[in-house]
Amino acid sequence: MPKTAEPAAQRSLPGRKAQAARNDELILAAARDVFLAEPKAPISAVAERAGVGISALYRRYPSKEELLRTLCYDGLRRYNAEAEAALRDSVGWQTLVDFLQRVVDADVHSLVVHLAGTFTPDESILPEVQRSAELNAEILRRARESGRLRPDIEVADFGLILESCAAISLPDPDRTRQLRRRVLALLIDGLATQGDLPGPPPGPGEFAHRWQSRSQ
């Protein structure tokens, strides 16, 4: 079996640093699989799935909370990257469609659905949160200017749509992706229809309580 090519950034690192970078990727990928399946799983389950020693994991992440925090922060950075790509590669109404499809395919919001409240956020994430707000606002602006977006849609509605898709999860990953895309297509059609929605969109900070640690 051919070896998987390493990222260029890893190839340029000295031996120990390259190994540490590989371990970090393995740990984060394993953590995502383990904690999405069972948020209360012990950190040892992550080390086992990643194929690294528990001491190597603790050198990088001193606690489970730190690992969960990093995992979710990486998710927000991926969200922003997908939003930037949609803004770069498309215009008007299609920017909104591409954005939603990219984020659903990246499965970013499964982290929100499963891990909110399992750790305490800190201020290091604020720049990414601010960037997310800017990107969302620009995507909404383009959709509104296209004339296709129903007038009562706000940025907060994006989260409801994305979390609805993330809630669909089957043992077969391909079927999960297919059904998420199917539901997303229905929801996108709803964004362009007329008529009044029941109740206002989520207010500022309305869902913030779920990020408070459940252990408090």
Side-chain angles (χ1 to χ4, degrees), residues 95-135:
T95 301
L96 174 59
V97 175
D98 286 353
F99 159 70
L100 293 172
Q101 290 176 343
R102 286 173 180 272
V103 176
V104 167
D105 288 346
D107 196 19
V108 170
H109 278 68
S110 286
L111 297 171
V112 177
V113 171
H114 289 83
L115 301 184
T118 60
F119 67 94
T120 302
D122 60 23
E123 293 184 356
S124 67
I125 195 58
L126 291 181
E128 293 293 340
V129 171
Q130 178 59 37
R131 180 60 177 155
S132 177
E134 294 168 355
L135 294 168

